[in-house]
Amino acid sequence: DFYPFFCLIESMFQNSGHVNFEISKKEFMHFRVKNSVCLVHHGASADYKFKVPNDDKGRIALVQRVLRIAEREGDYEGIKKVFFIKGDTHSYEQKDLGQFTFHTFGTPVTGDEYANALALESTPTQNALLLGDGKDYDTIHITF
């Protein structure tokens, strides 16, 4: 549903050398920002049935597996911080699990087919992860 919106935002920054976009429809992707690696996994959806575990042990095992895949595919030498980000539960969560920081980001959408089927009633939100050069970071959590 947001694909045209993402294309619009991408076009707004097309002449900015410091902003790069990769609009992905994949279940999982990874990228580097400064000295951090971001592992992004949608989680369950109408198209993907895989659910990110709710328990810490399951999350750690998943992130370790996904990080090994990312390290094979990308240049992640000198990484100081790992972030795992998902959005399938339409809620907000941030948890430090030692080796990485686990984030669930909300959505500005309410009433979509996936959320309605699972009775996911949440406050519409937009989240941002701001990364520094070291291990420093901040999150912005905006509700509508």
Side-chain angles (χ1 to χ4, degrees), residues 3 6 22-29:
Y3 187 76
F6 294 138
E22 181 179 343
I23 300 172
S24 175
K25 293 184 176 182
K26 298 187 289 185
E27 178 181 7
F28 156 74
M29 67 178 293

Side-chain angles (χ1 to χ4, degrees), residues 31-45:
F31 55 90
R32 180 181 188 140
V33 177
K34 300 181 181 182
N35 293 326
S36 300
V37 62
C38 296
L39 309 169
V40 182
H41 196 298
H42 184 275
S45 72

Side-chain angles (χ1 to χ4, degrees), residues 37-90:
V37 62
C38 296
L39 309 169
V40 182
H41 196 298
H42 184 275
S45 72
D47 298 319
Y48 298 111
K49 303 304 179 194
F50 177 81
K51 292 188 183 221
V52 173
N54 288 326
D55 64 295
D56 291 351
K57 258 178 106 171
R59 288 175 173 181
I60 290 169
L62 171 65
V63 171
Q64 287 173 341
R65 189 173 75 241
V66 169
L67 184 58
R68 283 192 302 273
I69 294 168
E71 288 172 337
R72 284 195 307 261
E73 296 177 355
D75 174 23
Y76 296 120
E77 189 172 320
I79 290 298
K80 295 182 179 177
K81 191 76 179 159
V82 177
F83 295 93
F84 184 86
I85 304 164
K86 76 173 187 83
D88 65 332
T89 55
H90 293 211

Side-chain angles (χ1 to χ4, degrees), residues 99-139:
Q99 303 166 5
F100 63 93
T101 306
F102 183 92
H103 296 266
T104 301
F105 283 166
T107 177
V109 176
T110 58
D112 64 86
E113 182 180 341
Y114 172 74
N116 288 345
L118 296 175
L120 299 174
E121 296 182 29
S122 64
T123 303
T125 62
Q126 183 66 56
N127 306 105
L129 182 60
L130 308 174
L131 305 177
D133 287 329
K135 290 187 173 186
D136 56 316
Y137 69 95
D138 197 3
T139 54

